[in-house]
Amino acid sequence: GLTGYMVNAVVKSPLGVYGLLALPFVTLGMEKCIYDTTQAAQGINPNFRPADRGGFPSGGAALPSFSLLPVRKIIQFPAASSIRRRTTNEG
């Protein structure tokens, strides 16, 4: 499948068999790039670490962001309790 294709491509590259040692780091970097980009597109800062989290496995905020997009600004709407509702006297 795809894994065999990737391994053959790396072995036949100028890096040779030693390129296989870089493969885990490259794939982890690709995964972090995709994760950080989707977080940023949703308006979540990938560098922010909530107080109730940290350590393994959720220590990605300690690493630099690999996001391809800036963090999207989310417009905060007023709370539902502060919205005035129109009532009608239809019976």
Side-chain angles (χ1 to χ4, degrees), residues 55-91:
F56 184 81
S58 59
L63 300 172
S65 174
F66 289 176
S67 177
L68 301 175
L69 302 172
V71 177
R72 190 174 88 177
K73 303 291 184 215
I74 303 293
I75 299 171
Q76 297 294 328
F77 293 102
S81 62
S82 66
I83 297 174
R84 293 183 182 171
R85 295 186 179 157
R86 178 184 279 180
T87 58
T88 58
N89 292 330
E90 297 177 11

Side-chain angles (χ1 to χ4, degrees), residues 23-78:
L23 202 55
F25 298 103
V26 171
T27 56
L28 282 172
M30 290 169 53
E31 179 185 359
K32 180 157 175 51
C33 178
I34 292 169
Y35 180 79
D36 288 353
T37 302
T38 56
Q39 293 290 87
Q42 295 174 12
I44 302 169
N45 186 353
N47 292 328
F48 176 73
R49 188 181 85 195
D52 61 338
R53 291 192 183 166
F56 184 81
S58 59
L63 300 172
S65 174
F66 289 176
S67 177
L68 301 175
L69 302 172
V71 177
R72 190 174 88 177
K73 303 291 184 215
I74 303 293
I75 299 171
Q76 297 294 328
F77 293 102

